Amino acid sequence: MKVHAPEAILPTLTATVGVVLLAFWLATGPPSDLEPRTSGRDGTIDRSGQTARPEPGQPIAGPGTASDIPGQWPGFLGPGRDSIATDGPPLARSWPAEGPPVLWSIDVAEGYAGAAISDGRVYVLDYDEEAEADTLRCLSLDDGREIWRNSYPVVVAFHHGMTRTVPTIVGDYVITMGPRCHLACWDAATGKSHWLIDLERDHGTRVPEWYTGQCPLVDQDRLIVAPCGDAMLMAIDYRTGDVIWQSPNPKGWNMTHVSIVPMELQGRRTYVYCASGGVAGVAADDGTLLWETTAWKEINATSPSPVVLPDDRLFLSRGYGSGALMLQLVKTDSGIEAQSLFELTPKQFSSEQQTPIYRDGHLFGIRKVGAKTMVCLDLDGNEVWDSGGDRFGLGPYLFADDLLLILDDDATLTAAEATPAGYIRLARHKVLPGGHDAWGPMAMVAGRLILRDMTRLVCLDLRAN
C-alpha cells in the first residue's frame, strides 16, 4: 500500500515526543499532588511499596442468639486435636430411611472451611464474594441463624475452592487464618476485631498453592503459627497480637497446608511442623530449633498433620503418589535426631488430605490408593483390617461415642463400629443431596454433627432416641 510522506512522518514525531516526555517525568518524579495508593480490595500498594494490610470492619448483627446447648469443639480436629469427641450423649446406631434429622443448613462460599463450636455458637470463616472479603460468621447452634459477622477485604479467586481453615476458640477470643495468610483475632461474643497480621506482608510468608490450610493452634496460653518466612514458627500473645518469639528458618522452608502439632519430647514441650523442605521441632518456651529432617519433604502438597505416638514417634502421611513414614526422635550426644523407622508405600497407606486418628494403640485412616478403604494399622505399619466393600474418598472422619463417622466425597455419611478387632458398618446415608467435594473437617457437640460439602453447611442430630 502506498503511504504519503506526511502520514509516515507524523507517527515518528509523536513517538519521539512521547519518549522525551517520559524521560523528563522519570527524571523529575511524579507530580507532587498525586497521593500514593493505599490498601483496598484490589491489592493496592502502601507508602512503603508493600501490599497494604486490610482493615477489618465493624461487626454486623444478625437475628440469631447463642444456644444453651453445652459442649466445646474449639478448633481443628476437636478438643484434643485428635478427631475424638470426648463427651456427649449416646448416639443412634441406626438411622431412618430418610437419614438422620437435619436441624439446619446454610449456604457457604465454595471451599472446605470447617466449624468451631463454643458456648452455643458456631464459627465459620467464610468468604463473601460480593464484598470480596474473608468473613467470620457466628451462628446459633440451635438453628443456624447468624448472630454476627465481621470481615476484612481481600481478593480470593476460586482455586478449587476458596476457604480452607477452621477457627480456634480460646476464652473470649476467636483466632482465624484466612486463605491468603491473614491471621486475625475477634471477640467471640460481639465479633469486634482485636488485631490482624498479614503473614505474607509482615513476615515474608509465601502463600501456598491452593491457599493455606493451616489452622491456628493455641497452646500454653499462646498462639502458635508457622509463617515459614522470616521465621519458621512464631509464638504470639493472642490477646494483643504481639510476637513473643520466632524460631529460625535457616533453609528457607515454605508454608504447607499442614497444621502445627504439640508434642511432649523427653519432658519438654515442643511443636512439630511439616514445612516444604522437611519436618522440624521447636521448643515451646523460646522457639529454639531442636531438630529437623529432610526425610519427609513436600510433594505437590502436604495436608495431613503429624500424628504424635508413644515413645517419641511421629507418623507422617500424604497423597500425590507418596505413602507414609514413621519417625522416632532419639537423644544423641549432638542433640535430637529424627530417625526413620519404616516407610509405607502408597498401596499400603496414603492420606491426601485428612489426618489419621490414633486410638486404642492403633492408627485409623482412609488409604487413598486403590479401593479407598478405611484401614486400621498397628504401630509397626502392619495392616490389621480394611473396610472391605465400604469405600470412601478424601472426606473427613472422627470418633464419637465409640462410633467412627466417615464422610465421603459426595456427602454420604457412614457410621461404623471400628476397633482393632474389626470394622462393622451400622448406618449410611447421603446427607447433602447433590453434594460433592465434601472434604471440610467435621465438628461434633452434644450429639450435633456439623459437616459440609463444597457449598452447603449442615447440622445433623445424631442422638439416640
Side-chain angles (χ1 to χ4, degrees):
M1 179 177 68
K2 186 176 179 180
V3 179
H4 296 288
E7 294 173 321
I9 295 171
L10 183 59
T12 302
L13 291 175
T14 302
T16 303
V17 172
V19 170
V20 172
L21 290 175
L22 176 62
F24 176 77
W25 187 86
L26 291 173
T28 59
S32 59
D33 60 343
L34 290 182
E35 290 294 328
R37 299 176 73 187
T38 56
S39 64
R41 293 185 182 135
D42 58 356
T44 51
I45 306 302
D46 71 4
R47 294 173 185 270
S48 68
Q50 295 178 300
T51 302
R53 183 188 302 105
E55 293 295 331
Q58 294 298 315
I60 300 173
T65 57
S67 171
D68 293 330
I69 298 170
Q72 308 284 321
W73 193 271
F76 181 55
L77 304 184
R81 289 179 81 93
D82 55 8
S83 297
I84 300 174
T86 55
D87 55 17
L91 302 183
R93 263 51 185 174
S94 63
W95 302 328
E98 63 273 19
V102 176
L103 298 177
W104 52 265
S105 65
I106 62 169
D107 291 328
V108 286
E110 292 179 300
Y112 317 101
I117 309 169
S118 179
D119 297 327
R121 299 179 178 94
V122 179
Y123 301 90
V124 179
L125 184 62
D126 207 3
Y127 187 71
D128 187 328
E129 294 185 69
E130 183 177 351
E132 293 186 319
D134 285 344
T135 302
L136 181 60
R137 301 172 67 181
C138 176
L139 314 171
S140 170
L141 182 55
D142 283 332
D143 52 23
R145 291 191 301 170
E146 200 165 90
I147 301 171
W148 56 257
R149 64 166 54 199
N150 203 350
S151 61
Y152 52 83
V154 58
V155 175
V156 179
F158 179 86
H159 194 11
H160 208 169
M162 292 175 287
T163 67
R164 292 288 190 281
T165 57
V166 181
T168 292
I169 306 165
V170 51
D172 297 329
Y173 300 85
V174 181
I175 315 296
T176 60
M177 175 85 84
R180 292 183 60 177
C181 302
H182 294 96
L183 192 65
C185 178
W186 319 81
D187 186 275
T190 68
K192 177 184 176 182
S193 170
H194 291 298
W195 52 261
L196 184 147
I197 298 172
D198 184 339
L199 293 180
E200 183 180 21
R201 177 189 187 276
D202 300 334
H203 295 281
T205 295
R206 188 187 75 177
V207 178
E209 181 77 0
W210 304 293
Y211 308 119
T212 188
Q214 182 184 154
C215 302
L217 167 69
V218 173
D219 184 70
Q220 294 189 329
D221 210 33
R222 294 174 175 179
L223 170 63
I224 311 297
V225 295
C228 284
D230 303 327
M232 185 180 300
L233 266 66
M234 186 164 62
I236 298 171
D237 184 333
Y238 64 81
R239 299 172 182 84
T240 64
D242 296 333
V243 175
I244 299 171
W245 55 250
Q246 299 183 69
S247 65
N249 188 17
K251 298 179 180 177
W253 290 351
N254 292 312
M255 181 188 289
T256 64
H257 299 278
V258 175
S259 296
I260 301 167
V261 173
M263 178 181 187
E264 290 294 331
L265 177 60
Q266 299 168 8
R268 189 174 189 182
R269 189 71 166 176
T270 66
Y271 302 120
V272 181
Y273 186 67
C274 297
S276 63
V279 188
V282 308
D285 53 358
D286 60 7
T288 300
L289 183 62
L290 299 177
W291 62 268
E292 62 180 6
T293 177
T294 57
W296 188 257
K297 298 180 180 180
E298 183 173 50
I299 298 178
N300 198 12
T302 304
S303 298
S305 294
V307 181
V308 177
L309 300 172
D311 302 322
D312 298 333
R313 285 174 292 176
L314 290 167
F315 185 72
L316 309 171
S317 59
R318 65 183 170 220
Y320 302 101
S322 57
L325 174 67
M326 182 72 80
L327 292 178
Q328 184 160 37
L329 304 178
V330 178
K331 188 175 182 179
T332 67
D333 292 339
S334 58
I336 303 296
E337 180 180 321
Q339 300 178 354
S340 298
L341 294 181
F342 61 82
E343 290 189 53
L344 300 179
T345 67
K347 290 184 178 180
Q348 291 174 299
F349 187 80
S350 61
S351 179
E352 190 162 296
Q353 296 198 40
Q354 310 299 332
T355 300
I357 300 174
Y358 172 64
R359 189 172 188 260
D360 297 332
H362 290 71
L363 289 160
F364 299 83
I366 295 172
R367 175 171 46 209
K368 178 180 184 288
V369 174
K372 296 184 179 179
T373 51
M374 173 65 67
V375 298
C376 174
L377 305 175
D378 67 22
L379 298 191
D380 293 321
N382 301 307
E383 184 177 313
V384 178
W385 53 255
D386 75 3
S387 57
D390 282 5
R391 302 181 178 189
F392 307 96
L394 303 179
Y397 41 89
L398 60 81
F399 276 99
D401 188 31
D402 292 327
L403 287 181
L404 180 58
L405 302 170
I406 312 165
L407 190 65
D408 204 349
D409 292 341
D410 65 356
T412 295
L413 182 66
T414 298
E417 291 180 351
T419 70
Y423 170 93
I424 302 173
R425 187 223 298 174
L426 301 179
R428 173 177 283 180
H429 190 78
K430 186 175 176 64
V431 294
L432 281 168
H436 65 97
D437 291 0
W439 302 339
M442 298 187 290
M444 167 69 81
V445 161
R448 281 84 170 169
L449 180 67
I450 295 180
L451 53 83
R452 67 170 293 164
D453 66 1
M454 178 69 90
T455 59
R456 193 90 182 146
L457 185 80
V458 62
C459 180
L460 305 177
D461 186 355
L462 300 189
R463 292 173 292 173
N465 292 331

